Amino acid sequence: MCIFKNKLFAILLIALLAASCTEVVDIHTKGMDRHYLVVEGMLTDRTDMRQKVQLTGSVDYFEPETPPAVSGARVAVSDGESTVEYTETPPGSGCYIGPEGFCGTPGGTYTLTIDVEIDGEQRHYEASSTMEEPGFADAEVDYMYAGKPEMHIDSLWTVALWGRDLPQTSYYYINSRLNDAVFPMQLSLSIDDKYFAGQKVTCFPVTTLAQTGLRQKMYGDCAKYLETGDVFTLYVYTIPKDYYDFYMGFVSSSVGAAIPLIQSQPSNCPTNIRGDYAAGYFVACSSTSASVVIDQPLRPFYKKLLGF
Amino acid sequence: MNIRRLILVATLLLLAGVLPAVAQKIVLSGYVREAGSGEPLNGAVVFTADMKTGVSANSAGFYSIEVAAKEQVIKCSYAGYTTAEFTITPKGKNLKHDFLLEEDREMLEAAKVFSKSKREQLTLPQLGKETVTADIIKKVPALMGEADVIRVIQMLPGVQTPSEGSTGFSVRGGGIDQNLVLMDGAPLYNSGHFLGFLSMFNGDAVKNAQLYKGDFPASFGGRLSSVLDVSTRDGNKNKFEGNVSIGLITSRAAVEGPIVKDKLSFMLAARRTYMDVFFPIFGKNIPKNTQMYFYDINGKLSWVASPRDRVYLSVFSGRDVFGMSMEDFDLDKMKFAFANNTQTLRWSHEFSPKLFFSATAYNSRYKGGVDGAMSVASWTYTSALMETGLKTGLTWYINSSNTLQAGIDAAYHRMDPCDVSPEGEESIVQDVHLQRTYAVAPAVYVQNEQKIGPLTLRYGLRAGTFTTLGEADQKYYDPETHDLAETVHFEKGEAIKTYFGLEPRFSASFSINPDLSLKAAYSRSFQYIQQVPISISGSPIDAWFMSSPNILPQISDQFSAGLNALFAGQALEFSAEAFYKNNANTMDFKENPGLVFDDAEREGLLRFGKSYAYGAEVMLRYEFNRLSGWLGYTFSRAIYDIPELNGGKPYRSPLNHEHSVNFVLSYDITRQMSLSADWVFYSGAPTTFPVGRFSYGGTYASLYSSRNEDSMPPYHRMDLAFTYKDRRRAAGRPGGCEWNLSLYNAYSRHNAWSLAFLYNRMEEKPQALKVYLFTIIPSLSFNVYF
């Protein structure tokens, strides 16, 4: 239900905006006393990727610049016994990469340490996260035709997830890749497993894929069209509840549309980064993945569903 | 507060008042009614010619006054009506007399409308009480031309609108849920139509409304900030009459009359919007299959069962529907529906000229829901609140100095927080049924109003309990970590948690001279059912909570003091009040609650603390022959102090505007034409602006400093209304017609409903976007009376 309710809110918001009027106004905000360090760190158990920590800064709200990369930091991750240093790659990018082959293990607790100079002062930050055992098993991904002839859309699919939610309470973060790249307009979704309730998960809708038409209409030039033979991979990460809370807070503050009927009190999203003026999160998470090859627009299984 | 000491003092005062009562007096009792319709005139004043003794008629129009057994004239007056007189003779026995008041045809409408406060009212030991009559409601310019009692309430000092267009209201910095809104004694849990832009109260059905801003009589309980007690018309007992109104978006019809003359009458009023009928005109700009309408029906039977018995049956049903389909968003159907239903049965009985009894049984049910269909996900979501109760009250007119009231109330509550069901076999939506909760809330109260020379006191005590009941799997949350600690099963009817509260009420009025009085009051109130807004402004999907093992009842102590004065031959009335409120167990959602409809762990998301509010209100009512109205100013500050929020620092309530000005006037150009206007100004509501932004995963998010330390832009608006009556209507004869033209937001100010801070990806820069709902809204209605 979570997805549908989010969509429901979005539709309500659109309806309200359509019924009202808007205008851009000049608002004076007082700006920040000091700049923040923003940490975007994820440590997984995947060996097919390099572990990464992205460091950026913050800017005053109406400052036109994009937040700068934070370069020259010392970034290290420790499992309590050994410490690995991350290397900024490429230099000046603020992207710090772990050594080849380095990954986490479910059950392990990992501590991220950052030493960096911001605003001319030396700052020290720490964050810890415990990698939980995977809470989701036997993952499969498939897609179903969801278009309607009257909509004049060449093809529109709903991607759904199958699998088994294990008995322990878990929270999930889902993202996806198309072939070797992060899927454009990627799905990043956090799910409370109360929606699965320790049961077999059948046909949990995750996102919508479109080949042309609607996708282009909605996303313009940034849309990448699916082609036959594309490999779509879904990653289901088991995340700590704290990261789930962070993610939901982040979504709330990133939407930022202050529609009184549906917006709660604005506040900073939570963080597990210890140290002054810090935002973002460092999370250790185990993963399960499943792939599907886009073979034909309308698959036989769904013909039956649609009554063809 | 030492409750025992208060009770002792109250008992001594009562005895002091009762004991000196001696013989040589008689009791005059009866009803005050409008001569034409037989409608009871609640609040009419019956007094001796020397004005040393006087009483007010109660909601049934009943009065009882003890006077010296000598030949003298007793008068009865009510605003807008000629004063009636009755001469008593010293026969030494009790008398009965019904006052029938004639409408004052000589008085112009403007004066009639606002003529509420006279010398008799000055002596009442009641602070923060405002009475709004049907005449006032129809005079004040209204949104979309719909006469609305809550729109008038919002124009009074101390009452504020949380956001543009909303019919929710905040009284003295309190929450919207802290107002007890009663329709003929039955509580309404959602009093708004159209997501709150219009209220449930049809102007044709409303007789009058009393607003108590904190100094509640002991007969009211369950809310902290205010009581809005709305009474509907009983129906004309002598002749049939009615009206039909045709407006641009709404039409109304009302009819009333006798079923058995002077014995049994009825009133029926209904209205419906038909905005959706015009949607096809707008073509593709309006989503397909859009539905947007509401309707409501008020019905009432009033029966004079015997000279001593009155029986009333009142029903109300209102429903809102807002639905559409949007193909571009893969939405086959989305329909929001909200419904309120109330039923009230009231019996009043006069045991003796000095003893009046009333019992009210009521039922109120609010149900909201969303039906949706998207691809293979179709669902029905509903949530509901129900309250069934009985209120009994006994009024003993002991003597000319003492009026004692006592009663027993009992209420049964049932709450269905969320039911989600799939619609159709193909729907992949899973069933979600959050646990239904039950509670019972009995209460007893006693109160005495006592006159000691120039001093009038009212003191009372209300004692209530609130018990949540099984069957339930009660969750207990750790008060420190807020994690679920344990779940305990309770059998059906088993008590889960009981709270007990003593609520002392005290107020005093001291008349310095007939035109000047000083008043002071203290009251304590408990609130056991509360709403914590998911959103900033309050919406129909906001979550209600019953007190539970995790949620303590909110407690409010309010102190207030003020003065009332009459000037210029009573043409001007000045009132000033200051208040201080201290609330315990105030709650708010934690930061980033990530709420969804069906969150079973909602209680674990709450954080608790305290809050306080203080302020001052001044009001000048003016009432001249052609011109009348009022000017009000309010200063109010409301602060929340919840240690786990905002880094432990207190923060301002988002509902409170620190400064507000209300100006209302009505001017009779001729007997046929009148002009009315209002102007309102609010300083900006507290809000939180972002101070910075950062990027995470390619998406921007905002950084904030302190909660609610910024303010929205100031709000101001003028509304105008012009009314033209034909000669028959202007002369007060039956029938006739009138035209009403109104302009809401006459100078078309774009008042901010909200500010959205968004990153404009096209221009690659952040922007502040003001969302405003209304520009100028003209409306025209034509009313025919028969």
Side-chain angles (χ1 to χ4, degrees), chain B residues 81-101:
Chain B
Y81 291 81
T82 54
T83 299
E85 295 182 356
F86 178 65
T87 304
I88 60 172
T89 50
K91 291 181 180 175
K93 64 177 186 181
N94 295 338
L95 296 170
K96 282 194 74 69
H97 178 72
D98 288 355
F99 285 101
L100 298 176
L101 302 189

Side-chain angles (χ1 to χ4, degrees), chain A residues 56 64 74 122 133 152-153 180 187 247 269-270 288 302-303:
Chain A
T56 50
R74 177 187 167 272
Q122 198 64 34
E133 296 287 342
H152 307 295
I153 295 167
D180 292 328
L187 167 74
Y247 192 87
C269 37
T288 308
Y302 299 106
K303 286 183 178 176

Side-chain angles (χ1 to χ4, degrees), chain A residues 1-9 11-12 14-17 19-32 36 38-41 56-67 144-146 148 150-151 156 158 186 194-196 199 202-205 208 214 217-218 241 243-250 252-270 279-283 305, chain B residues 163 195 197 285 292 322 324 326-332 334 336 370 374-377 379 381 420 426 428-430 432 483 533-542 588 590-601 651-654 687-710 713 750 753-759 764-773 775:
Chain A
M1 276 302 294
C2 173
I3 296 170
F4 302 115
K5 277 173 291 194
N6 290 342
K7 196 163 184 178
L8 186 154
F9 276 133
I11 290 163
L12 179 61
I14 290 162
L16 287 167
L17 283 173
S20 56
C21 306
T22 57
E23 61 188 32
V24 175
V25 290
D26 288 327
I27 294 286
H28 172 72
T29 62
K30 61 184 180 184
M32 293 179 298
Y36 276 60
V38 181
V39 179
E40 188 180 347
T56 50
S58 63
V59 292
D60 284 352
Y61 190 81
F62 286 112
E63 210 173 289
E65 287 78 25
T66 54
M144 70 179 76
Y145 184 65
K148 294 182 179 62
E150 68 272 20
M151 291 170 69
L156 178 69
T158 290
Q186 66 167 318
K194 68 185 178 187
Y195 299 107
F196 298 154
Q199 296 170 359
T202 56
C203 196
F204 183 80
T208 301
L214 179 65
K217 188 173 174 183
M218 290 177 69
K241 181 177 185 305
Y243 185 67
Y244 174 81
D245 292 340
F246 159 77
Y247 192 87
M248 299 309 287
F250 175 75
S252 173
S253 67
S254 63
V255 170
I259 302 299
L261 285 173
I262 58 173
Q263 197 213 5
S264 58
Q265 292 269 0
S267 52
N268 287 328
C269 37
Y281 214 90
F282 169 68
V283 61
L305 186 72
Chain B
S163 64
L195 299 174
F197 297 135
N285 294 326
M292 187 185 278
F322 173 46
M324 67 180 123
M326 297 172 78
E327 287 177 349
D328 286 358
F329 294 93
D330 193 20
L331 179 73
D332 299 322
M334 179 68 72
F336 298 82
V370 185
M374 288 186 283
S375 186
V376 289
W379 76 93
Y381 157 83
V420 178
E426 290 177 357
I428 59 167
V429 173
Q430 297 168 2
V432 179
D483 292 333
I534 291 173
S535 58
I536 295 170
S537 71
S539 78
I541 59 170
D542 283 345
D588 203 346
K590 71 169 199 170
E591 285 158 357
N592 302 299
L595 279 165
V596 289
F597 292 130
D598 58 356
D599 200 326
E601 311 293 332
Y651 58 95
R652 299 189 294 166
S653 162
T687 190
T688 310
F689 291 158
V691 293
R693 70 188 157 86
F694 67 94
S695 172
Y696 189 95
T699 303
Y700 286 118
S702 301
L703 288 165
Y704 301 95
S705 56
S706 192
R707 180 180 279 204
N708 292 342
E709 67 175 0
D710 301 297
H750 297 174
W753 185 47
S754 71
L755 286 174
F757 292 87
L758 301 168
Y759 189 81
E764 294 188 339
K765 66 177 185 182
Q767 289 179 333
L769 203 63
K770 179 169 78 175
V771 181
Y772 59 95
L773 291 179
T775 54

